[in-house]
mmCIF file with all atom_site columns, all heavy atoms in Angstrom:
data_model
loop_
_atom_site.group_PDB
_atom_site.id
_atom_site.type_symbol
_atom_site.label_atom_id
_atom_site.label_alt_id
_atom_site.label_comp_id
_atom_site.label_asym_id
_atom_site.label_entity_id
_atom_site.label_seq_id
_atom_site.pdbx_PDB_ins_code
_atom_site.Cartn_x
_atom_site.Cartn_y
_atom_site.Cartn_z
_atom_site.occupancy
_atom_site.B_iso_or_equiv
_atom_site.pdbx_formal_charge
_atom_site.auth_seq_id
_atom_site.auth_comp_id
_atom_site.auth_asym_id
_atom_site.auth_atom_id
_atom_site.pdbx_PDB_model_num
ATOM   1   N N   . PHE F 1 107 ? 256.418 168.526 66.076 1.00 96.00 ? 268 PHE F N   1
ATOM   2   C CA  . PHE F 1 107 ? 255.125 168.902 66.510 1.00 96.00 ? 268 PHE F CA  1
ATOM   3   C C   . PHE F 1 107 ? 254.767 170.202 65.698 1.00 96.00 ? 268 PHE F C   1
ATOM   4   O O   . PHE F 1 107 ? 254.369 171.260 66.205 1.00 96.00 ? 268 PHE F O   1
ATOM   5   C CB  . PHE F 1 107 ? 255.160 169.364 67.987 1.00 96.00 ? 268 PHE F CB  1
ATOM   6   C CG  . PHE F 1 107 ? 255.807 168.359 68.943 1.00 96.00 ? 268 PHE F CG  1
ATOM   7   C CD1 . PHE F 1 107 ? 257.052 168.611 69.465 1.00 96.00 ? 268 PHE F CD1 1
ATOM   8   C CD2 . PHE F 1 107 ? 255.079 167.138 69.225 1.00 96.00 ? 268 PHE F CD2 1
ATOM   9   C CE1 . PHE F 1 107 ? 257.642 167.714 70.314 1.00 96.00 ? 268 PHE F CE1 1
ATOM   10  C CE2 . PHE F 1 107 ? 255.734 166.240 70.007 1.00 96.00 ? 268 PHE F CE2 1
ATOM   11  C CZ  . PHE F 1 107 ? 256.990 166.532 70.615 1.00 96.00 ? 268 PHE F CZ  1
ATOM   12  N N   . CYS F 1 108 ? 254.844 170.041 64.396 1.00 97.00 ? 269 CYS F N   1
ATOM   13  C CA  . CYS F 1 108 ? 254.822 171.168 63.565 1.00 97.00 ? 269 CYS F CA  1
ATOM   14  C C   . CYS F 1 108 ? 253.504 171.827 63.434 1.00 97.00 ? 269 CYS F C   1
ATOM   15  O O   . CYS F 1 108 ? 253.371 173.084 63.068 1.00 97.00 ? 269 CYS F O   1
ATOM   16  C CB  . CYS F 1 108 ? 255.332 170.867 62.159 1.00 97.00 ? 269 CYS F CB  1
ATOM   17  S SG  . CYS F 1 108 ? 254.306 169.593 61.239 1.00 97.00 ? 269 CYS F SG  1
ATOM   18  N N   . GLY F 1 111 ? 252.561 174.750 61.007 1.00 98.00 ? 272 GLY F N   1
ATOM   19  C CA  . GLY F 1 111 ? 253.893 175.063 60.563 1.00 98.00 ? 272 GLY F CA  1
ATOM   20  C C   . GLY F 1 111 ? 254.287 176.568 60.714 1.00 98.00 ? 272 GLY F C   1
ATOM   21  O O   . GLY F 1 111 ? 255.140 177.114 60.168 1.00 98.00 ? 272 GLY F O   1
ATOM   22  N N   . GLY F 1 112 ? 253.518 177.266 61.654 1.00 98.00 ? 273 GLY F N   1
ATOM   23  C CA  . GLY F 1 112 ? 253.685 178.733 61.846 1.00 98.00 ? 273 GLY F CA  1
ATOM   24  C C   . GLY F 1 112 ? 255.114 179.025 62.236 1.00 98.00 ? 273 GLY F C   1
ATOM   25  O O   . GLY F 1 112 ? 255.713 179.975 61.672 1.00 98.00 ? 273 GLY F O   1
ATOM   26  N N   . LEU F 1 113 ? 255.761 178.299 63.109 1.00 98.00 ? 274 LEU F N   1
ATOM   27  C CA  . LEU F 1 113 ? 257.017 178.581 63.656 1.00 98.00 ? 274 LEU F CA  1
ATOM   28  C C   . LEU F 1 113 ? 258.104 178.414 62.541 1.00 98.00 ? 274 LEU F C   1
ATOM   29  O O   . LEU F 1 113 ? 258.906 179.314 62.275 1.00 98.00 ? 274 LEU F O   1
ATOM   30  C CB  . LEU F 1 113 ? 257.389 177.636 64.810 1.00 98.00 ? 274 LEU F CB  1
ATOM   31  C CG  . LEU F 1 113 ? 258.768 177.754 65.481 1.00 98.00 ? 274 LEU F CG  1
ATOM   32  C CD1 . LEU F 1 113 ? 259.055 179.070 65.916 1.00 98.00 ? 274 LEU F CD1 1
ATOM   33  C CD2 . LEU F 1 113 ? 258.856 176.828 66.696 1.00 98.00 ? 274 LEU F CD2 1
ATOM   34  N N   . ASP F 1 130 ? 254.053 165.701 62.788 1.00 96.00 ? 291 ASP F N   1
ATOM   35  C CA  . ASP F 1 130 ? 252.956 165.933 63.635 1.00 96.00 ? 291 ASP F CA  1
ATOM   36  C C   . ASP F 1 130 ? 252.093 164.688 63.697 1.00 96.00 ? 291 ASP F C   1
ATOM   37  O O   . ASP F 1 130 ? 251.961 163.879 62.807 1.00 96.00 ? 291 ASP F O   1
ATOM   38  C CB  . ASP F 1 130 ? 252.130 167.132 63.035 1.00 96.00 ? 291 ASP F CB  1
ATOM   39  C CG  . ASP F 1 130 ? 251.213 167.692 64.195 1.00 96.00 ? 291 ASP F CG  1
ATOM   40  O OD1 . ASP F 1 130 ? 250.116 167.144 64.469 1.00 96.00 ? 291 ASP F OD1 1
ATOM   41  O OD2 . ASP F 1 130 ? 251.550 168.733 64.763 1.00 96.00 ? 291 ASP F OD2 1
ATOM   42  N N   . LEU F 1 131 ? 251.430 164.610 64.832 1.00 94.00 ? 292 LEU F N   1
ATOM   43  C CA  . LEU F 1 131 ? 250.492 163.391 65.132 1.00 94.00 ? 292 LEU F CA  1
ATOM   44  C C   . LEU F 1 131 ? 249.329 163.426 64.052 1.00 94.00 ? 292 LEU F C   1
ATOM   45  O O   . LEU F 1 131 ? 248.881 162.305 63.761 1.00 94.00 ? 292 LEU F O   1
ATOM   46  C CB  . LEU F 1 131 ? 250.011 163.579 66.547 1.00 94.00 ? 292 LEU F CB  1
ATOM   47  C CG  . LEU F 1 131 ? 249.015 162.515 67.070 1.00 94.00 ? 292 LEU F CG  1
ATOM   48  C CD1 . LEU F 1 131 ? 249.831 161.169 67.214 1.00 94.00 ? 292 LEU F CD1 1
ATOM   49  C CD2 . LEU F 1 131 ? 248.520 162.955 68.402 1.00 94.00 ? 292 LEU F CD2 1
ATOM   50  N N   . ASP F 1 152 ? 252.907 159.639 65.546 1.00 90.00 ? 313 ASP F N   1
ATOM   51  C CA  . ASP F 1 152 ? 253.410 160.041 66.851 1.00 90.00 ? 313 ASP F CA  1
ATOM   52  C C   . ASP F 1 152 ? 254.836 159.920 66.877 1.00 90.00 ? 313 ASP F C   1
ATOM   53  O O   . ASP F 1 152 ? 255.498 158.906 66.600 1.00 90.00 ? 313 ASP F O   1
ATOM   54  C CB  . ASP F 1 152 ? 252.800 158.917 67.802 1.00 90.00 ? 313 ASP F CB  1
ATOM   55  C CG  . ASP F 1 152 ? 253.050 159.268 69.212 1.00 90.00 ? 313 ASP F CG  1
ATOM   56  O OD1 . ASP F 1 152 ? 254.110 159.819 69.592 1.00 90.00 ? 313 ASP F OD1 1
ATOM   57  O OD2 . ASP F 1 152 ? 252.098 159.019 70.046 1.00 90.00 ? 313 ASP F OD2 1
ATOM   58  N N   . LEU F 1 153 ? 255.477 161.046 67.300 1.00 91.00 ? 314 LEU F N   1
ATOM   59  C CA  . LEU F 1 153 ? 256.917 161.170 67.397 1.00 91.00 ? 314 LEU F CA  1
ATOM   60  C C   . LEU F 1 153 ? 257.512 160.010 68.109 1.00 91.00 ? 314 LEU F C   1
ATOM   61  O O   . LEU F 1 153 ? 258.582 159.350 67.781 1.00 91.00 ? 314 LEU F O   1
ATOM   62  C CB  . LEU F 1 153 ? 257.284 162.477 68.114 1.00 91.00 ? 314 LEU F CB  1
ATOM   63  C CG  . LEU F 1 153 ? 258.797 162.732 68.207 1.00 91.00 ? 314 LEU F CG  1
ATOM   64  C CD1 . LEU F 1 153 ? 259.401 163.108 66.946 1.00 91.00 ? 314 LEU F CD1 1
ATOM   65  C CD2 . LEU F 1 153 ? 259.092 163.782 69.197 1.00 91.00 ? 314 LEU F CD2 1
ATOM   66  N N   . PRO F 1 176 ? 253.526 169.443 73.225 1.00 81.00 ? 337 PRO F N   1
ATOM   67  C CA  . PRO F 1 176 ? 252.266 169.746 73.990 1.00 81.00 ? 337 PRO F CA  1
ATOM   68  C C   . PRO F 1 176 ? 252.504 169.584 75.492 1.00 81.00 ? 337 PRO F C   1
ATOM   69  O O   . PRO F 1 176 ? 253.317 168.872 75.929 1.00 81.00 ? 337 PRO F O   1
ATOM   70  C CB  . PRO F 1 176 ? 251.280 168.756 73.496 1.00 81.00 ? 337 PRO F CB  1
ATOM   71  C CG  . PRO F 1 176 ? 251.858 168.286 72.234 1.00 81.00 ? 337 PRO F CG  1
ATOM   72  C CD  . PRO F 1 176 ? 253.360 168.371 72.323 1.00 81.00 ? 337 PRO F CD  1
ATOM   73  N N   . LEU F 1 198 ? 256.739 163.473 75.869 1.00 87.00 ? 359 LEU F N   1
ATOM   74  C CA  . LEU F 1 198 ? 257.046 164.068 74.600 1.00 87.00 ? 359 LEU F CA  1
ATOM   75  C C   . LEU F 1 198 ? 258.299 164.975 74.799 1.00 87.00 ? 359 LEU F C   1
ATOM   76  O O   . LEU F 1 198 ? 259.120 165.122 73.888 1.00 87.00 ? 359 LEU F O   1
ATOM   77  C CB  . LEU F 1 198 ? 255.904 164.854 74.169 1.00 87.00 ? 359 LEU F CB  1
ATOM   78  C CG  . LEU F 1 198 ? 254.681 163.988 73.671 1.00 87.00 ? 359 LEU F CG  1
ATOM   79  C CD1 . LEU F 1 198 ? 253.445 164.877 73.354 1.00 87.00 ? 359 LEU F CD1 1
ATOM   80  C CD2 . LEU F 1 198 ? 255.076 163.163 72.482 1.00 87.00 ? 359 LEU F CD2 1
ATOM   81  N N   . ASN F 1 454 ? 246.624 177.186 67.675 1.00 94.00 ? 615 ASN F N   1
ATOM   82  C CA  . ASN F 1 454 ? 247.740 176.503 68.320 1.00 94.00 ? 615 ASN F CA  1
ATOM   83  C C   . ASN F 1 454 ? 249.111 177.050 67.846 1.00 94.00 ? 615 ASN F C   1
ATOM   84  O O   . ASN F 1 454 ? 250.093 176.623 68.377 1.00 94.00 ? 615 ASN F O   1
ATOM   85  C CB  . ASN F 1 454 ? 247.661 174.995 67.981 1.00 94.00 ? 615 ASN F CB  1
ATOM   86  C CG  . ASN F 1 454 ? 247.214 174.195 69.182 1.00 94.00 ? 615 ASN F CG  1
ATOM   87  O OD1 . ASN F 1 454 ? 247.305 174.614 70.339 1.00 94.00 ? 615 ASN F OD1 1
ATOM   88  N ND2 . ASN F 1 454 ? 246.616 173.076 68.893 1.00 94.00 ? 615 ASN F ND2 1
ATOM   89  N N   . VAL F 1 456 ? 252.513 179.077 66.567 1.00 97.00 ? 617 VAL F N   1
ATOM   90  C CA  . VAL F 1 456 ? 253.437 180.097 66.968 1.00 97.00 ? 617 VAL F CA  1
ATOM   91  C C   . VAL F 1 456 ? 253.341 181.188 65.860 1.00 97.00 ? 617 VAL F C   1
ATOM   92  O O   . VAL F 1 456 ? 253.357 180.887 64.704 1.00 97.00 ? 617 VAL F O   1
ATOM   93  C CB  . VAL F 1 456 ? 254.848 179.634 66.984 1.00 97.00 ? 617 VAL F CB  1
ATOM   94  C CG1 . VAL F 1 456 ? 255.818 180.728 67.248 1.00 97.00 ? 617 VAL F CG1 1
ATOM   95  C CG2 . VAL F 1 456 ? 255.045 178.536 68.025 1.00 97.00 ? 617 VAL F CG2 1
HETATM 96  C C1  . SAM U 2 .   ? 251.093 173.704 69.718 1.00 85.21 ? 288 SAM U C1  1
HETATM 97  S S1  . SAM U 2 .   ? 250.866 172.750 68.386 1.00 85.21 ? 288 SAM U S1  1
HETATM 98  C C2  . SAM U 2 .   ? 252.203 173.191 67.322 1.00 85.21 ? 288 SAM U C2  1
HETATM 99  C C3  . SAM U 2 .   ? 252.120 174.491 66.686 1.00 85.21 ? 288 SAM U C3  1
HETATM 100 C C4  . SAM U 2 .   ? 253.252 174.802 65.723 1.00 85.21 ? 288 SAM U C4  1
HETATM 101 N N1  . SAM U 2 .   ? 254.522 174.918 66.338 1.00 85.21 ? 288 SAM U N1  1
HETATM 102 C C5  . SAM U 2 .   ? 252.982 176.025 64.842 1.00 85.21 ? 288 SAM U C5  1
HETATM 103 O O1  . SAM U 2 .   ? 253.690 176.987 64.977 1.00 85.21 ? 288 SAM U O1  1
HETATM 104 O O2  . SAM U 2 .   ? 252.020 175.981 64.031 1.00 85.21 ? 288 SAM U O2  1
HETATM 105 C C6  . SAM U 2 .   ? 251.417 171.160 68.985 1.00 85.21 ? 288 SAM U C6  1
HETATM 106 C C7  . SAM U 2 .   ? 251.227 170.045 67.926 1.00 85.21 ? 288 SAM U C7  1
HETATM 107 O O3  . SAM U 2 .   ? 251.737 168.864 68.502 1.00 85.21 ? 288 SAM U O3  1
HETATM 108 C C8  . SAM U 2 .   ? 251.110 167.806 67.841 1.00 85.21 ? 288 SAM U C8  1
HETATM 109 N N2  . SAM U 2 .   ? 251.344 166.535 68.693 1.00 85.21 ? 288 SAM U N2  1
HETATM 110 C C9  . SAM U 2 .   ? 250.737 166.220 69.825 1.00 85.21 ? 288 SAM U C9  1
HETATM 111 N N3  . SAM U 2 .   ? 251.208 165.081 70.293 1.00 85.21 ? 288 SAM U N3  1
HETATM 112 C C10 . SAM U 2 .   ? 252.082 164.603 69.356 1.00 85.21 ? 288 SAM U C10 1
HETATM 113 C C11 . SAM U 2 .   ? 252.925 163.472 69.181 1.00 85.21 ? 288 SAM U C11 1
HETATM 114 N N4  . SAM U 2 .   ? 252.843 162.490 70.156 1.00 85.21 ? 288 SAM U N4  1
HETATM 115 N N5  . SAM U 2 .   ? 253.673 163.360 68.149 1.00 85.21 ? 288 SAM U N5  1
HETATM 116 C C12 . SAM U 2 .   ? 253.683 164.211 67.132 1.00 85.21 ? 288 SAM U C12 1
HETATM 117 N N6  . SAM U 2 .   ? 252.983 165.442 67.226 1.00 85.21 ? 288 SAM U N6  1
HETATM 118 C C13 . SAM U 2 .   ? 252.174 165.511 68.304 1.00 85.21 ? 288 SAM U C13 1
HETATM 119 C C14 . SAM U 2 .   ? 249.661 168.192 67.823 1.00 85.21 ? 288 SAM U C14 1
HETATM 120 O O4  . SAM U 2 .   ? 248.918 167.534 66.852 1.00 85.21 ? 288 SAM U O4  1
HETATM 121 C C15 . SAM U 2 .   ? 249.819 169.761 67.499 1.00 85.21 ? 288 SAM U C15 1
HETATM 122 O O5  . SAM U 2 .   ? 249.677 170.084 66.136 1.00 85.21 ? 288 SAM U O5  1
#
Side-chain angles (χ1 to χ4, degrees):
F268 312 107
C269 62
L274 179 55
D291 198 282
L292 182 66
D313 189 322
L314 180 72
L359 291 174
N615 255 334
V617 174

